């Protein structure tokens, strides 16, 4: 009789082990694929990373560990941001739940040649109610079909009607989430410089996103510029000009800092844009960085040490803002911590072959 019980117990144990092994095997393959995507992200090989992540996304139903899913969505957020697909990137950041960021850099002299974020301590907070995975898969496949992560310097930001930004969000659709991304193009990536010495000062700009209940989304990416065509361009001696707004959807960037915001915060941002978007441009007092930082502040994002000096002037500037983001000198004022903020760097400025 005892032998019979032992035999039954042994068979039950074998079945349990077989089931566990069946669950672990796909997870191990997925973990290895995610590690491979980590390496591609670190080296700026966004296309290869996206191919790996797309494969994991297609097999995610086999995943039993929520931290693996969090890792997947966080990596997707980084790569999709590098494709300037901020709608998908912020949605993936939301799906990833809470993660703890760590930063790694490789320096060559004073210059960061590779700067990226990795993550640890994934929490089991997978959130699905923003963009469903069927739509996300289509977005990812569309990016893969481009084959290469194209540099966007060749795309000139075009003038847009200032009223069109606010009007785009008045789509009469019920919203589920709102997000914002602050994007920084430094004069010299990875360096705390206000300019290159050859007139290039960088750029700060904003991406606003509204996610709707019907799974549609509205995204506007734009920046504040001095009007061109003047006899003498804006300079420290003549710092004023009329302002214009340009579509920066294809503008390159080095650092990104994003956050989901409340409806009230989003409406405050739209109100500010509506009333201040035609303000006069001033190189020291109200430039592209002042405009972008004010919108970030209305969204409860605080960034330290954003003011730098240049000949005959000083003020907020992309070089200093970018370095503060790299150094983690920012706070989510809603939580009084860094929690709830998405940050990543765009390795387009590295010398690594894509």
């Amino acid at each position: 009789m005892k032998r019979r019980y032992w035999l039954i117990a042994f068979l039950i144990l074998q079945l349990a082990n077989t089931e566990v092994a069946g669950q672990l095997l796909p997870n191990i393959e997925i973990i290895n694929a995610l590690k491979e995507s980590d390496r591609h992200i670190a080296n700026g090989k966004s296309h290869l990373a996206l191919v790996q992540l797309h494969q994991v996304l297609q097999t995610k139903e086999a995943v039993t560990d929520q931290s693996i899913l969090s890792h997947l969505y966080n990596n997707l957020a980084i790569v999709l941001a590098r494709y300037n697909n901020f709608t998908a990137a912020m949605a993936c950041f939301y799906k990833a739940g809470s993660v703890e960021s760590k930063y790694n850099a490789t320096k060559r002299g004073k210059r960061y040649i590779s700067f990226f974020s990795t993550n640890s301590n994934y929490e089991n907070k997978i959130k699905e109610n923003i963009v469903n995975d069927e739509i996300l898969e289509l977005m990812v496949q569309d990016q893969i079909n481009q084959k290469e992560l194209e540099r966007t310097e060749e795309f000139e930001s075009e003038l847009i009607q200032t009223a069109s930004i606010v009007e785009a969000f008045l789509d009469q659709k019920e919203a589920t989430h709102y997000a914002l991304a602050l994007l920084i193009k430094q004069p010299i990536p990875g360096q705390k410089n206000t300019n290159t010495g050859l007139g290039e000062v960088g750029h700060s700009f904003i991406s606003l996103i509204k996610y709707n209940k019907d799974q549609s989304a509205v995204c506007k990416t734009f920046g504040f510029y001095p009007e061109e065509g003047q006899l003498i361009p804006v300079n420290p001696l003549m710092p004023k000009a009329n302002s214009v707004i340009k579509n920066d959807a294809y503008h390159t960037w080095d650092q990104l800092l994003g956050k989901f915001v409340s409806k009230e915060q989003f409406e405050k941002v739209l109100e500010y844009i509506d009333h201040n978007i035609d303000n006069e441009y001033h190189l020291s007092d109200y430039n592209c960085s002042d405009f972008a930082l004010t919108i970030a502040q209305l969204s409860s994002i605080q960034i330290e040490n954003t003011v730098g000096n240049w000949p005959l002037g000083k003020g907020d500037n992309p070089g200093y803002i970018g370095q503060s983001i790299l150094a983690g000198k920012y706070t989510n004022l809603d939580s009084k911590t860094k929690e709830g903020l998405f940050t990543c760097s765009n390795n387009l400025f590295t010398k690594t072959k894509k």
Side-chain angles (χ1 to χ4, degrees):
M1 194 71 176
K2 288 183 179 180
R3 287 183 179 179
R4 186 177 177 184
Y5 284 136
W6 277 111
L7 180 60
I8 292 172
F10 176 76
L11 289 173
I12 292 172
L13 184 61
Q14 286 294 100
L15 286 171
N17 287 338
T18 301
E19 184 177 351
V20 169
Q23 292 175 347
L24 287 177
L25 185 58
N27 279 0
I28 290 171
E29 293 175 352
I30 288 170
I31 288 169
N32 289 335
L34 288 174
K35 287 181 178 178
E36 188 67 20
S37 75
D38 288 339
R39 286 190 286 271
H40 291 321
I41 288 171
N43 292 320
K45 297 179 179 179
S46 295
H47 178 72
L48 293 176
L50 199 59
V51 170
Q52 289 281 348
L53 294 169
H54 185 239
Q55 292 173 355
V56 176
L57 186 63
Q58 290 179 310
T59 59
K60 80 177 189 69
E61 297 303 324
V63 176
T64 57
D65 187 339
Q66 294 294 303
S67 66
I68 294 175
L69 292 178
S70 188
H71 191 171
L72 163 66
Y73 287 122
N74 185 74
N75 281 14
L76 278 170
I78 294 171
V79 176
L80 290 168
R82 291 179 180 176
Y83 277 97
N84 279 30
N85 191 336
F86 306 122
T87 301
M90 290 303 294
C92 287
F93 167 67
Y94 184 87
K95 283 172 173 281
S98 297
V99 294
E100 178 184 339
S101 296
K102 291 184 177 180
Y103 300 95
N104 297 276
T106 302
K107 293 189 72 175
R108 182 175 296 161
K110 295 182 178 180
R111 182 171 180 264
Y112 288 94
I113 60 170
S114 181
F115 204 107
F116 59 96
S117 60
T118 58
N119 296 273
S120 60
N121 297 336
Y122 298 95
E123 295 184 16
N124 299 336
K125 291 185 179 179
I126 303 302
K127 304 173 182 179
E128 296 288 353
N129 61 335
I130 184 165
V131 172
N132 67 47
D133 281 338
E134 288 75 17
I135 294 175
L136 184 59
E137 274 195 48
L138 291 174
M139 289 180 173
V140 172
Q141 186 61 62
D142 181 60
Q143 299 293 173
I144 290 173
N145 290 342
Q146 294 183 27
K147 295 186 179 179
E148 294 292 338
L149 178 58
E150 297 180 358
R151 292 179 177 272
T152 52
E153 289 94 341
E154 62 191 78
F155 292 97
E156 186 73 25
S157 293
E158 297 181 352
L159 291 172
I160 56 175
Q161 294 295 320
T162 55
S164 68
I165 295 173
V166 174
E167 289 173 357
F169 296 101
L170 306 178
D171 56 358
Q172 305 302 312
K173 291 186 177 183
E174 183 181 351
T176 58
H177 303 84
Y178 302 90
L180 168 145
L182 170 66
L183 298 129
I184 306 298
K185 177 61 182 170
Q186 294 179 279
I188 303 174
Q191 287 193 23
K192 196 173 183 178
N193 295 83
T194 58
N195 59 82
T196 61
L198 299 173
E200 176 57 49
V201 297
H203 186 48
S204 303
F205 55 108
I206 290 289
S207 187
L208 295 179
I209 310 160
K210 174 178 177 276
Y211 298 91
N212 294 323
K213 191 174 182 179
D214 65 0
Q215 293 288 302
S216 64
V218 180
C219 180
K220 285 290 184 180
T221 304
F222 55 94
F224 186 77
Y225 290 81
E227 187 177 39
E228 296 176 345
Q230 299 182 104
L231 185 61
I232 301 176
V234 168
N235 62 78
L237 289 173
M238 300 183 68
K240 297 181 181 180
N242 292 329
S243 65
V244 295
I245 298 296
K246 292 186 179 183
N247 176 11
D248 284 333
Y250 300 105
H251 201 293
T252 53
W253 54 274
D254 298 313
Q255 276 69 250
L256 177 154
L257 186 60
K259 178 180 181 287
F260 277 85
V261 299
S262 67
K263 180 181 179 182
E264 291 73 23
Q265 288 170 333
F266 197 80
E267 288 176 347
K268 283 183 180 179
V269 168
L270 293 184
E271 184 179 2
Y272 177 80
I273 292 170
D274 210 19
H275 289 86
N276 296 277
I277 205 164
D278 293 322
N279 285 357
E280 183 179 57
Y281 184 97
H282 191 289
L283 187 59
S284 294
D285 297 336
Y286 198 78
N287 56 37
C288 65
S289 294
D290 294 301
F291 178 77
L293 282 175
T294 301
I295 291 175
Q297 289 162 3
L298 289 170
S299 305
S300 293
I301 297 174
Q302 179 177 289
I303 303 174
E304 302 172 25
N305 195 17
T306 61
V307 177
N309 296 294
W310 53 81
L312 303 178
K314 70 174 184 177
D316 292 317
N317 64 90
Y320 276 56
I321 299 171
Q323 287 307 106
S324 288
I325 293 175
L326 287 176
K329 296 179 179 179
Y330 51 80
T331 305
N332 178 356
L333 294 178
D334 290 336
S335 64
K336 309 300 182 185
T337 66
K338 292 180 176 60
E339 185 179 352
L341 295 176
F342 171 55
T343 180
C344 69
S345 290
N346 190 346
N347 278 14
L348 286 175
F349 61 79
T350 69
K351 294 184 178 180
T352 304
K353 186 177 180 181
K354 304 297 179 291

